[in-house]
Amino acid sequence: MSARTRAAKPPAAPPLSKRPVPVIFERGAPGRVGYSLPPSDVPEAPLDEIIPTAHRRARPAALPEVSELDIVRHYTALGRRNYSIDEGFYPLGSCTMKYNPKINEDVARQAGFARLHPYQPEELVQGALQVLWELEHDLAEISGMDRVTFQPAAGAHGELTALLMISKYFEDRGEHRTTVVVPDSAHGTNPASAAIAGFEVVEVKSDRRGNIDLEALKTALTPQVAVLMLTNPNTLGLFEEQILEVARAVHNVGAQLYLDGANFNAILGVTRPGDQGFDVMHFNLHKTFTTPHGGGGPGAGAVGVRSHLVPYLPVPTIERDGQRFTFDYARPKSIGKIRAFYGNFGNLVRAYTYIRSMGPDGLRQAAETAVLNANYVLSRLRDHYDLPYDRVCKHEFVLSGRRQRDAHHVTTKDIAKRLLDYGFHSPTIYFPLIVEEAIMIEPTETESIQTLDQFIDAMTAIAGEAETNPDLVRGAPYETPVTRLDDVAAARKPVLRWRP
Amino acid sequence: MKYIPATPSERTRMLRSIGVRAIDDLFNDIPKELRLRGPLDLPPAMPDPDLLAHARRLAGRNADCDRLISFLGAGAYDHFVPSTVAHLALKPEFLTAYTPYQAEIMQGELQAIFEYQTLMCELTGMDVANASMYDGASALGEAARMAADLTTRTRIVVSTAVHPEYRQVLRTFTSHLRVTVDDLATTGGITDPAAAREAMTDETAALIIQSPNFFGCLEDGEALAKAAHDRGALLVVAVADPISLGLVRAPGEYDADIVTGEGQALGNALNFGGPYLGMIATREAFVRRLPGRLVGRTVDTEGRPGYVLTLQTREQHIRRARATSNICTNESLNALVAAVYLSTLGRQGIQHVAELNARKAHYAKQRIAALRGYRVAFEAPTFNEFVVRCPVSPEEINRRLLEHQILGGLPLGRFYPDFADGWLLCVTESRTRDEIDQLVGYLEALQ
């Protein structure tokens, strides 16, 4: 989808992507099959002898009855009704939608990685263990942490893992700390993870420059505080300028400093969380290290720690003994297991491939270009939308649609929907919560200036439309497979599965 | 750098537009003492041909299941994957898409998830399923929390025939809550309903079982559901290999309250343990306590059918500290794989493949049982896994089998120290009679 503009006249017949696609259950016909499997080659015993009737399904699962071509056409039609990185620009703040290199997929899909059983003996998986061991050391170097676990399946899972480790650390020290502090700009996962790990959540406001308010933080830092969870650069796209003072204040009360690594892409090779005073952090490998988002996952939420937290890492860790790599389960202080097996290995291979293809200079160049692109878009949009925090940004920045809302009754949601007509995915909207009508834009380093200019032109045009033809923006989108959907009806009477 | 399009002259143009002289000026907000002075200590960038050769060497140091004849299961299954799966679920339109927050341009993904939810409901016999969890173990952890929430009770009883790693994760997930987890010993490889009744109190939120369980045995779901319900507790059922549900009773048919499972078997690669797919399904009445993403069907302003993420007030980005779960990124692509797999097999195929698993495993079980010194550990019916007691240590047997490129079963002593002669074998449809006969032949020769 290259930049679409609103067609002057609707086309005579709806384009393919506008035709509803029947669900797979409505395709096919009774008795039709799409698979090919051999008959059983072992001597036939009556099924009742193998699994007695009492243990057998009363009613077969009503799965589709389709041919292979039925399925191929179905998913091809669904794919046409999707938007993806391979198709166009995703300026989605805090989600870091950069290009997913194809070589990563080729490497990860080799049978030597994809066809390994997790319980194979160590001597049969030395290559896999070497990938894990090297990736751990790469991430430790990039972050300034001492060790890294790969078991969490996603960033939020990593947050939970880290908080459980911190709990155990304090428990070992005989300290009972009950509180997690988060800034008011925090991702929703931070308070949710804290609550699920059994902590109370205290929010601290941000100051006028978009940093965490140092005085408010000091007030919040009671002896009950276990940890401050901070995103840096934060969700406003701003580097916490007083990070060293923040770290000092946190450590002064004996608490731990946690980095939500969602925005790590902005600082690769430029500065390291470990050097900033962070004790523990998670990495979103799908954001920073180019593993594909897959429509919402799988991700990988590796957690890095400084040495004092190493004993609490989930089991197993991966150790090197000369040329041999081994699993270490004998870790008495470990929090245990957070997931079966060893994490989302396939994604770890992709991240490893990316780091090897970039090298130290490439990673730094990625961060620099991400920041350059963000500041470029910011510099060209600042006159068209409100800019609540006027500073050099890192890899993303937050605008406000307040002006459009107040003067023309055009909301940020309207602007986001109108952008779809121009062929772009929308930015993140209404987050962070501290910015009214927030529009959070993150271009990433893999987008060219030509794409950025087209996006800037679209955003500028929409600001103009909001003034001259607000109804047009309010009714958007028009060019998409469906127009605005009724969320309220969907939630009031949920239809969560197909029924004949 | 081929992933970064900006040329030097474009950089200059952009810097001028921003109004700064050099890239470094964009990093002035980072305190000087925190800025790295030299490059990171990492290996230098590798050009593609070198990188591919390097990756091939690493992959070559592993013995994969194309090179071995695998009888290893225990939570990860070597099933045949139809070609449709890789070609469709891994299309870039799905692979490189984001979470479908902008519904109007993500109808393909949303409909695919809606279909996945339907397939999960059909397979498990439950009313609602979510869009996926991290893996089978964490899905069980979430189910335990959900049960504690729903019942406002504080104890969980879990059968020791539930996958040992799942039980470890369950403990980690509940360690910091006011929830205690009690293990329930098994009798003859299955959970005894009378013992379960005994183990539960008025404070028991859930009885957790797995079926087929870690020993491959099918549990008496009906009696266990009744035992749990009589105590006011919920029955949570983890499914070891969901392909079993092509043949064996769906947990919904025996009144389970929450069903979880590991969906890897449904078309996902072994991947050395991940990414996998956590399944969770429940009753309609519990939907508002269900963790994770849900897709619902609705209409657009012109009355056309469409799909949206719904009931989002349960989720962390809306409800924050009061969310039902902190899950944000899930395993959408693996769910899509499962949907393509199940649609490809269809109504007949799922029964066919389940039957192949049961028949081949049964054949292997019978043949091994006939060998001198070996005996089947449990009498309960099994699906595609079973435990045998061995005359020689299972570790030793596995070492000898490897000489013939056979990956033997899991020595149970790893998880059950007083079961050191226990060997958990898995036989899927991928194993031929010839391969099973080879295994039996080597076992015979080994004595």
Side-chain angles (χ1 to χ4, degrees):
Chain A
M1 187 160 32
S2 64
R4 292 184 196 138
T5 49
R6 196 187 172 197
K9 266 191 298 188
L16 282 173
S17 66
K18 286 216 171 197
R19 289 185 203 152
V21 179
V23 290
I24 190 80
F25 308 93
E26 294 171 308
R27 287 182 184 257
R32 195 179 286 175
V33 296
Y35 74 98
S36 157
L37 282 169
S40 169
D41 60 355
V42 297
E44 293 280 301
L47 203 52
D48 283 351
E49 251 173 50
I50 303 172
I51 300 178
T53 326
H55 282 287
R56 295 233 299 279
R57 266 191 104 99
R59 190 180 65 86
L63 303 187
E65 296 182 88
V66 290
S67 71
E68 179 163 328
L69 183 55
D70 286 334
I71 299 158
V72 169
R73 291 219 172 121
H74 181 69
Y75 279 95
T76 303
L78 291 185
R80 218 159 27 213
R81 287 160 72 87
N82 249 14
Y83 190 90
S84 67
I85 275 286
D86 280 10
E87 186 176 12
F89 182 43
Y90 260 96
L92 204 51
S94 225
C95 298
T96 313
M97 294 294 288
K98 52 162 102 178
Y99 170 65
N100 311 129
K102 302 301 179 194
I103 192 172
N104 295 358
E105 296 302 310
D106 286 347
V107 169
R109 297 226 164 101
Q110 296 179 92
F113 291 131
R115 297 269 293 131
L116 296 185
H117 190 286
Y119 286 150
Q120 285 186 217
E122 279 169 5
E123 64 266 27
L124 301 184
V125 293
Q126 285 295 304
L129 295 184
Q130 185 177 341
V131 168
L132 294 175
W133 193 87
E134 286 188 22
L135 181 61
E136 175 175 350
H137 286 78
D138 291 350
L139 291 184
E141 166 64 15
I142 296 168
S143 63
M145 295 284 147
D146 292 311
R147 290 216 64 173
V148 180
T149 175
F150 293 122
Q151 289 175 59
H157 202 203
E159 292 171 17
L160 179 63
T161 306
L163 291 168
L164 296 178
M165 290 171 62
I166 291 170
S167 282
K168 197 115 198 245
Y169 166 76
F170 282 123
E171 197 183 298
D172 261 12
R173 295 165 61 94
E175 295 181 46
H176 185 58
R177 292 178 179 247
T178 52
T179 308
V180 168
V181 178
V182 298
D184 55 5
S185 61
H187 294 111
T189 51
N190 294 176
S193 300
I196 278 160
F199 290 102
E200 281 157 40
V201 180
V202 170
E203 216 173 78
V204 168
K205 61 182 170 41
S206 302
D207 67 17
R208 277 161 54 196
R209 283 185 62 75
N211 297 310
I212 189 168
D213 187 307
L214 200 54
E215 287 319 305
L217 174 65
K218 284 180 178 163
T219 311
L221 286 173
T222 64
Q224 273 70 54
V225 173
V227 57
L228 168 66
M229 297 179 84
L230 201 62
T231 310
N232 192 26
N234 64 28
T235 58
L236 295 163
L238 304 172
F239 194 85
E240 293 285 347
E241 293 164 305
Q242 299 162 298
I243 186 63
L244 289 169
E245 288 84 347
V246 168
R248 209 169 299 131
V250 168
H251 291 146
N252 275 344
V253 297
Q256 298 284 292
L257 185 58
Y258 178 90
L259 178 76
D260 175 331
N263 294 340
F264 197 44
N265 195 47
I267 56 171
L268 294 171
V270 177
T271 176
R272 308 196 307 170
D275 301 340
Q276 294 161 27
F278 286 95
D279 300 290
V280 49
M281 70 173 286
H282 80 253
F283 305 80
N284 301 87
L285 297 187
H286 45 304
K287 293 181 183 180
T288 313
F289 299 102
T290 67
T291 78
H293 286 250
V303 170
V305 295
R306 298 302 305 271
S307 54
H308 61 287
L309 293 172
V310 167
Y312 307 98
L313 287 169
V315 285
T317 56
I318 290 132
E319 308 295 336
R320 181 180 181 161
D321 177 9
Q323 284 310 299
R324 201 180 125 78
F325 299 94
T326 57
F327 284 122
D328 181 10
Y329 283 92
R331 304 183 65 83
K333 292 190 172 185
S334 165
I335 59 163
K337 285 200 71 67
I338 192 76
R339 184 196 179 284
F341 312 122
Y342 330 111
N344 283 347
F345 176 75
N347 280 353
L348 306 176
V349 174
R350 289 172 176 87
Y352 174 84
T353 305
Y354 175 70
I355 292 171
R356 284 287 167 279
S357 63
M358 295 295 275
D361 300 332
L363 290 178
R364 182 174 175 119
Q365 206 187 326
E368 287 180 352
T369 314
V371 172
L372 176 69
N373 283 358
N375 279 284
Y376 174 71
V377 178
L378 169 61
S379 74
R380 296 201 46 207
L381 285 181
R382 57 181 305 145
D383 293 337
H384 303 282
Y385 294 88
D386 283 0
L387 177 63
Y389 299 92
D390 190 1
R391 279 170 53 184
V392 161
C393 68
K394 291 276 88 51
H395 63 312
E396 65 191 8
F397 61 95
V398 182
L399 298 173
S400 168
R402 203 167 35 199
R403 191 191 311 178
Q404 284 73 19
R405 182 197 62 194
D406 293 348
H408 313 294
H409 303 291
V410 168
T411 65
T412 282
K413 183 169 182 179
D414 299 329
I415 294 164
K417 295 301 180 194
R418 183 60 180 148
L419 203 49
L420 306 180
D421 287 334
Y422 283 86
F424 294 104
H425 196 279
S426 306
T428 296
I429 54 173
Y430 299 106
F431 183 79
L433 306 178
I434 55 173
V435 174
E436 267 185 281
E437 298 292 314
I439 306 172
M440 187 183 191
I441 295 171
E442 176 177 4
T444 81
E445 73 280 6
T446 57
E447 297 298 336
S448 68
I449 185 171
Q450 290 77 23
T451 303
L452 302 182
D453 283 340
Q454 285 168 10
F455 172 71
I456 290 161
D457 290 346
M459 285 293 287
T460 309
I462 295 168
E465 288 172 352
E467 282 178 33
T468 57
N469 192 356
D471 279 342
L472 175 70
V473 185
R474 280 197 292 265
Y478 307 96
E479 302 302 315
T480 47
V482 289
T483 55
R484 242 184 258 196
L485 290 150
D486 192 343
D487 294 310
V488 177
R492 193 170 294 150
K493 262 193 104 182
V495 179
L496 305 173
R497 56 163 299 182
W498 184 78
R499 281 183 202 278
Chain B
M1 169 42 67
K2 64 175 181 161
Y3 308 144
I4 305 177
T7 65
S9 73
E10 287 172 339
R11 279 174 204 277
T12 311
R13 213 163 97 210
M14 292 164 86
L15 288 168
R16 206 172 299 138
S17 167
I18 296 165
V20 296
R21 288 211 335 267
I23 292 260
D24 279 354
D25 296 340
L26 301 177
F27 290 91
N28 280 338
D29 49 351
I30 302 179
K32 249 207 175 71
E33 64 265 45
L34 291 180
R35 278 182 260 164
L36 290 171
R37 278 181 206 92
L40 293 167
D41 183 17
L42 295 175
M46 295 175 96
D48 285 357
D50 300 2
L51 180 53
L52 285 170
H54 172 68
R56 266 197 301 271
R57 263 195 309 276
L58 286 169
R61 295 189 66 196
N62 304 315
D64 60 72
C65 289
D66 282 348
R67 286 159 58 188
L68 301 170
I69 300 168
S70 170
F71 291 93
L72 197 50
Y77 299 94
D78 180 22
H79 288 295
F80 172 74
V81 181
S83 299
T84 47
V85 173
H87 283 272
L88 296 177
L90 306 180
K91 283 161 76 77
E93 292 87 338
F94 295 108
L95 181 69
T96 74
Y98 191 62
T99 310
Y101 289 129
Q102 293 297 333
E104 294 86 348
I105 53 171
M106 293 298 288
Q107 285 300 299
E109 179 75 39
L110 287 159
Q111 182 172 334
I113 297 174
F114 180 79
E115 292 178 9
Y116 164 81
Q117 290 172 184
T118 308
L119 291 161
M120 286 299 116
C121 291
E122 276 301 326
L123 205 57
T124 57
M126 304 301 285
D127 303 325
V128 288
N130 83 357
S132 76
M133 313 291 283
Y134 302 134
D135 77 333
S138 56
L140 189 63
E142 297 269 0
R145 269 218 317 264
M146 185 180 158
D149 245 30
L150 279 163
T151 57
T152 65
R153 293 176 171 196
T154 56
R155 301 189 81 89
I156 303 277
V157 172
V158 61
S159 164
T160 52
V162 172
H163 194 303
E165 291 206 31
Y166 290 25
R167 284 185 284 128
Q168 289 172 20
V169 172
L170 181 67
R171 286 214 148 73
T172 311
F173 263 64
T174 51
S175 58
H176 44 281
L177 304 174
R178 270 176 228 91
V179 173
T180 47
V181 178
D182 301 319
D183 276 341
L184 173 61
T186 54
T187 313
I190 55 172
T191 314
D192 175 25
R197 222 171 257 278
E198 196 99 326
M200 286 185 281
T201 70
D202 290 344
E203 271 312 303
T204 304
L207 170 64
I208 300 183
I209 61 166
Q210 189 172 17
S211 189
N213 66 26
F214 191 66
F215 306 126
C217 299
L218 299 175
E219 296 279 7
D220 185 353
E222 194 125 31
L224 291 163
K226 187 154 187 331
H229 294 157
D230 285 351
R231 272 293 190 187
L234 304 183
L235 180 71
V236 176
V237 181
V239 178
D241 181 341
I243 287 177
S244 63
L245 298 176
L247 195 58
V248 308
R249 284 194 88 183
E253 289 180 326
Y254 52 80
D255 223 14
D257 299 285
I258 306 173
V259 180
T260 67
E262 174 50 70
Q264 176 270 330
L266 304 174
N268 285 284
L270 286 165
N271 278 330
F272 199 41
Y276 282 3
L277 167 62
M279 300 156 48
I280 189 164
T282 190
R283 301 169 177 280
E284 187 115 51
F286 299 161
V287 65
R288 279 164 209 277
R289 298 285 186 141
L290 193 64
R293 211 164 276 152
L294 283 170
V295 169
R297 193 171 194 167
T298 185
V299 289
D300 74 358
T301 52
E302 292 171 32
R304 284 177 296 208
Y307 303 87
V308 291
L309 294 177
T310 194
L311 300 179
Q312 292 188 73
T313 51
R314 300 164 299 114
E315 292 188 74
Q316 42 71 32
H317 62 280
I318 307 281
R319 183 71 63 91
R320 297 174 79 83
R322 285 170 297 122
T324 50
S325 154
N326 71 333
I327 188 169
C328 181
T329 293
N330 60 7
E331 310 287 301
S332 266
L333 196 67
N334 302 83
L336 196 74
V337 162
V340 175
Y341 176 85
L342 286 170
S343 299
T344 299
L345 285 185
R347 195 182 173 110
Q348 287 184 29
I350 189 74
Q351 296 174 67
H352 186 149
V353 72
E355 210 177 300
L356 284 176
N357 276 260
R359 286 192 183 285
K360 293 189 183 210
H362 184 73
Y363 171 71
K365 183 162 77 169
Q366 301 245 300
R367 289 222 49 198
I368 294 171
L371 295 174
R372 195 154 43 84
Y374 289 85
R375 64 191 169 87
V376 171
F378 309 116
E379 276 174 24
T382 56
F383 174 61
N384 63 1
E385 290 182 275
F386 56 92
V387 177
V388 289
R389 289 182 177 271
C390 308
V392 194
S393 91
E395 287 84 357
E396 175 60 22
I397 297 174
N398 280 348
R399 267 191 294 277
R400 303 282 292 277
L401 288 174
L402 262 182
E403 293 164 11
H404 306 287
Q405 310 304 310
I406 290 177
L407 189 57
L410 183 83
L412 279 182
R414 170 174 177 169
F415 294 116
Y416 301 87
D418 38 7
F419 208 165
D421 65 344
W423 196 37
L424 175 66
L425 288 160
C426 176
V427 184
T428 68
E429 78 285 358
S430 301
R431 297 288 71 81
T432 60
R433 174 177 181 169
D434 183 49
E435 290 170 341
I436 299 167
D437 290 343
Q438 274 183 52
L439 169 75
V440 174
Y442 292 129
L443 291 180
E444 204 161 18
L446 200 135
Q447 291 181 325

